[in-house]
Every structure is written in C-alpha cells, then in structure tokens.
Amino acid sequence: ETGAVVTPPIECSAHDFKRTAVTWAFRAGMSMERAEEFFDTSGPTLRAAYRQHSPEHQAGSGAMIERSR
C-alpha cells in the first residue's frame, strides 16, 4: 500500500540522535572546542553530559587505577 505509515520498533527523538552523535564524536577523539561549535552546545553542558566518553578522560582514569596497584 502506497503511503503506509510504518511504526518503528522503538521511538527516537532528535535529542536521542544528537546524544548518540556527540558520544561517537568524543569516542572518535573530537576536541571539546570543535564539539561546542559543531553541535552548537556549550562547553559546560558537553563536559557535564558527555565528557566521560572522551578517550582523554578515560585514559586518566586508567592511569589512576594502574598507580593504585
């Protein structure tokens, strides 16, 4: 049937897609400054919500764990 509406198995909002894109960008090494510009989102918001996905952030945690051994 032409024009049929298909319901996706899960509901996603525009914010869900943005959150995924920001997470992937940080995991790929995007800088905070570039992310602020690209996603039009403030640095404090990005740091609070997504910084944990940055390789630099995780590298520091790994170093702390190794030193504690």
Side-chain angles (χ1 to χ4, degrees), residues 18 21-22 25-26 29-43 46 50:
K18 180 179 180 178
V22 172
F26 278 136
M30 181 180 276
S31 70
M32 183 65 66
E33 294 77 23
R34 178 72 178 115
E36 286 180 56
E37 181 181 315
F38 189 82
F39 294 108
D40 192 29
T41 304
S42 72
L46 289 171
Y50 304 103

Side-chain angles (χ1 to χ4, degrees), residues 8-9 11-13 18-19 23 25-26 32 34-35 38-39 52 62 68-69:
E11 291 196 29
C12 295
S13 68
K18 180 179 180 178
R19 186 172 46 233
T23 298
F26 278 136
M32 183 65 66
R34 178 72 178 115
F38 189 82
F39 294 108
Q52 71 273 14
S68 69
R69 289 183 178 189

Side-chain angles (χ1 to χ4, degrees), residues 4-11:
V5 176
V6 178
T7 303
I10 59 172
E11 291 196 29

